[in-house]
Amino acid sequence: MKPPIKTLWWEGESLFLIDQRKLPEKEEVIEIKNVKEVWKAIKELKVRGAPAIGCTGAYGVVISSLNIKTKNYEKFIEKLKKDIEYLKTSRPTAYNLFFALERMEKLIENFKEKNIEKLKKEILKEAEKIYLEDLESCYKIGLYGSDLIKENMNILTHCNAGGLATTGYGTALSVFFVAKEKGKNFHVFVDETRPVLQGARLTAWELEKTKIPYTLICDNMAGYLMSQGKIDMIIVGADRIAMNGDTANKIGTYSLAVLAKYHKVDFYVAAPFSTFDPFIKIGKEIPVEERNPDEVRKIKGKYISPKSAPVYNPAFDITPGKLIKGIITEKGIITPPYSTNIKKFLSQ
Ligand code: MRU
């Protein structure tokens, strides 16, 4: 199956990506050639979604390597490492960014030839590897997850865990894409996902494009739908998963998981292993990004509140592992107890 979305790609000496802030009105591709622009693209959500951020970070290191002009190997490495540290400050929650940048760091440290041109080639190879691994992992998530979808199910998803959030297949949405490919009939409820509407703008756009039947709802409607028996299952993505299964994902995910428990609806997370943080034991340790208050005060650039309204804007929340029925990964579906089973899967 061809990836339904082409989110980002490398061509010549540039990174190209769809500017996700412009969707669904405009499908605009931007070309990125310097590290500051990579940082800004991540920070400003031109590219977003944990795996897509990770791959962008990796290509950011390629861009850094191409822009450093010195012929002195030590100075080259020093500047490269400085850029990697800088890229790490673009967004704090999605583990995939750190997973990718730490892989690039390891490659640089283990490269012993002290040849700048050869190292540049290795850096590009590693970024391409991270990109291809994400494509493969996400497709496999779809293969495993689609077995959960029974005929005529109604499934709810939150935010955008689609092709746009990855290199092309998505995580939660990969499950839908593969289920459709298998000929299954089902319907998706899409949470609009305030404040920046990734559900309404991006998930709806992807489902429209791939002709998967869906209905858009406001975030505050999900509980009512569950009480009416209209939702059979929930599948969301993840930004960082702790070793006990606690999961950071877009703000609003935790409320859905609590509602799902009350209404006995199965709640699944779909994520590749690049989202699991082996250094974090419990969800409380996950850094949660706080974003610009104007994201809450405005919708699509227009104030919907007094301009000075005090705002709290955490971008993510933490869903305790005990509310999650299973985590769909590229190696299969991990079920509780997560503290032992995540480790088992990771070491497979
Ligand atoms: O702030 P965003 O849009 O980067 O948040 C994205 C999410 O929370 C997604 O659900 C998550 O990254 C999973 S992506 C496969």
Side-chain angles (χ1 to χ4, degrees):
M1 179 193 178
K2 206 173 136 254
I5 314 286
K6 205 172 170 197
T7 311
L8 59 106
W9 63 97
W10 183 259
E11 207 177 296
E13 298 206 330
S14 308
L15 173 64
F16 292 85
L17 45 92
I18 299 183
D19 186 346
Q20 300 193 28
R21 295 171 321 169
K22 304 266 170 73
L23 288 170
E25 289 94 346
K26 251 199 232 164
E27 225 176 300
E28 194 176 299
V29 172
I30 49 174
E31 180 178 4
I32 298 188
K33 280 179 146 332
N34 71 61
V35 176
K36 175 90 187 159
E37 283 170 31
V38 177
W39 188 92
K40 273 186 79 184
I42 297 174
K43 183 77 184 171
E44 294 172 358
L45 310 185
K46 289 178 190 169
V47 60
R48 31 80 33 219
I53 293 172
C55 290
T56 303
Y59 283 120
V61 182
V62 180
I63 290 175
S64 161
S65 76
L66 296 178
N67 282 318
I68 305 172
K69 297 295 172 223
T70 180
K71 299 225 170 352
N72 178 303
Y73 191 78
E74 275 67 37
K75 282 199 180 133
F76 178 80
I77 298 294
E78 195 185 314
K79 176 74 175 98
L80 204 52
K81 285 189 173 169
K82 214 170 147 198
D83 281 347
I84 292 176
E85 288 313 309
Y86 172 63
L87 287 169
K88 283 184 188 170
T89 65
S90 54
R91 289 191 80 187
T93 304
Y95 185 63
N96 307 62
L97 177 67
F98 304 95
F99 167 86
L101 292 174
E102 276 154 25
R103 251 176 79 167
M104 301 309 267
E105 263 172 341
K106 234 183 232 157
L107 171 105
I108 293 160
E109 269 155 32
N110 293 338
F111 188 79
K112 299 287 177 231
E113 287 185 55
K114 296 204 168 195
N115 179 319
I116 294 178
E117 290 314 310
K118 272 195 186 166
L119 177 57
K120 283 184 185 173
K121 282 193 185 124
E122 291 305 311
I123 288 173
L124 177 58
K125 258 197 222 160
E126 189 69 3
E128 300 280 41
K129 219 169 139 195
I130 291 171
Y131 180 95
L132 292 173
E133 281 172 15
D134 184 68
L135 269 181
E136 194 185 335
S137 299
C138 288
Y139 185 62
K140 284 186 179 160
I141 286 172
L143 284 176
Y144 285 114
S146 53
D147 287 343
L148 297 169
I149 297 188
K150 308 279 174 290
E151 231 8 53
N152 298 321
M153 257 191 172
N154 286 293
I155 306 135
L156 174 75
T157 191
H158 189 64
C159 191
N160 172 265
L164 289 165
T166 63
T167 48
Y169 285 108
T171 54
L173 263 58
S174 178
V175 173
F176 306 151
F177 297 144
V178 178
K180 182 171 192 258
E181 197 187 34
K182 286 181 178 171
K184 296 192 178 194
N185 295 305
F186 58 98
H187 165 267
V188 181
F189 281 105
V190 177
D191 266 354
E192 63 173 348
T193 319
R194 272 283 279 151
V196 292
L197 304 169
Q198 291 94 329
R201 295 188 303 106
L202 309 177
T203 299
W205 180 77
E206 288 194 36
L207 296 179
E208 192 95 34
K209 226 177 157 64
T210 50
K211 298 189 171 54
I212 292 177
Y214 74 93
T215 304
L216 179 64
I217 58 168
C218 296
D219 300 323
N220 49 7
M221 295 172 185
Y224 180 56
L225 264 71
M226 283 188 232
S227 77
Q228 291 180 312
K230 286 193 170 152
I231 294 171
D232 302 306
M233 179 163 66
I234 299 175
I235 310 180
V236 296
D239 286 84
R240 196 185 291 229
I241 302 176
M243 286 298 100
N244 70 344
D246 292 354
T247 295
N249 191 49
K250 182 53 56 195
I251 193 78
T253 302
Y254 169 60
S255 326
L256 288 178
V258 173
L259 282 166
K261 184 86 183 169
Y262 184 78
H263 293 289
K264 300 190 171 50
V265 172
D266 290 342
F267 183 93
Y268 285 92
V269 167
F273 275 102
S274 49
T275 305
F276 288 73
D277 185 342
F279 305 106
I280 280 194
K281 286 201 188 79
I282 57 169
K284 268 194 188 146
E285 297 167 23
I286 298 176
V288 171
E289 177 182 16
E290 250 187 73
R291 292 190 60 86
N292 190 329
D294 270 350
E295 286 184 352
V296 177
R297 293 187 193 115
K298 292 178 176 178
I299 291 185
K300 304 228 78 189
K302 277 205 172 145
Y303 281 101
I304 53 151
S305 73
K307 284 187 180 163
S308 56
V311 160
Y312 177 45
N313 186 17
F316 303 97
D317 57 27
I318 313 290
T319 299
K322 64 178 176 218
L323 297 181
I324 300 168
K325 169 112 182 186
I327 306 176
I328 309 161
T329 74
E330 64 270 44
K331 291 183 186 170
I333 301 177
I334 313 178
T335 51
Y338 292 119
S339 295
T340 47
N341 289 349
I342 288 177
K343 269 194 210 118
K344 267 191 214 159
F345 268 74
L346 278 175
S347 59
Q348 260 173 37

